[in-house]
Amino acid sequence: MKYTVSIEIALPRERAVQLLADPAHMPKWLRGLVLHEPLNGVHGQVGTKSRVVIQTGQQKFEATKTITRREPADLNAIPKGSVVHFDREIVGEGMWSVARERLTEAGPETTLWVSENEYRFSGLLMRLVGLLMPGAFRKQSQQHMQDFKAFAEQGKDVRETKD
């Protein structure tokens, strides 16, 4: 299963990228995040593996996330007109996914965030979920982007809202 979602954020690209990359801010916009801890390496750096636990309702999902691309490596003084890339691979029980994030300047004070996502499922239960509920994955990705936008633009924290 593959899909692409995108959103515009009313912040300069460099500021949006720095907020997105800062692990201290993740709980503020990544709805359901229970745990995000590096198993090796430094958060956000290529090759770093992290243990991630997300809770949605009564369901808890645990996975290993590996950063496969981060360009540029230095998120300060990003060259004008360049594209910022964050790619990651996530492996959990019955599921493998990859996300390719691109952030570009949509205007002097606006950032376009495009996220290409691919999922592969193994095991009967996860294959059924992927087959019967493909829209749920896209909806969750779009929700994370909207939550980040609300955090970045207005300081809204998902932990302070009712689901």
Side-chain angles (χ1 to χ4, degrees), residues 12-22 75 78 84 86 103:
R13 184 197 51 194
E14 192 167 306
R15 181 68 184 133
V17 165
Q18 289 168 351
L19 286 172
L20 190 61
D22 187 341
L75 300 178
I78 300 166
V84 175
F86 290 117
L103 292 101

Side-chain angles (χ1 to χ4, degrees), residues 1-50:
M1 172 177 54
K2 293 181 183 181
Y3 62 87
T4 300
V5 290
S6 63
I7 198 165
E8 279 196 5
I9 301 161
L11 282 179
R13 184 197 51 194
E14 192 167 306
R15 181 68 184 133
V17 165
Q18 289 168 351
L19 286 172
L20 190 61
D22 187 341
H25 295 306
M26 289 178 82
K28 297 175 186 174
W29 63 268
L30 191 55
R31 193 176 296 257
L33 181 66
V34 174
L35 178 74
H36 186 283
E37 64 179 1
L39 299 172
N40 69 348
V42 177
H43 176 85
Q45 299 301 315
V46 173
T48 298
K49 289 186 185 297
S50 299

Side-chain angles (χ1 to χ4, degrees), residues 78-154:
I78 300 166
K80 190 157 184 61
S82 65
V83 177
V84 175
H85 295 272
F86 290 117
D87 295 0
R88 65 189 181 281
E89 178 183 76
I90 299 173
V91 179
E93 187 174 341
M95 188 204 80
W96 169 92
S97 77
V98 65
R100 295 173 189 90
E101 317 287 349
R102 293 187 320 271
L103 292 101
T104 56
E105 295 169 318
E109 298 292 317
T110 309
T111 301
L112 175 63
W113 177 11
V114 177
S115 179
E116 295 176 9
N117 299 269
E118 179 180 350
Y119 286 84
R120 295 183 192 155
F121 303 105
S122 60
L124 182 60
L125 179 61
M126 286 306 290
R127 284 181 189 210
L128 279 173
V129 167
L131 186 65
L132 299 174
M133 299 175 49
F137 291 85
R138 174 189 283 271
K139 184 178 176 185
Q140 183 179 42
S141 295
Q142 194 71 54
Q143 181 69 60
H144 289 321
M145 291 177 114
Q146 290 168 350
D147 288 341
F148 177 77
K149 176 182 173 75
F151 162 70
E153 293 177 0
Q154 303 156 19

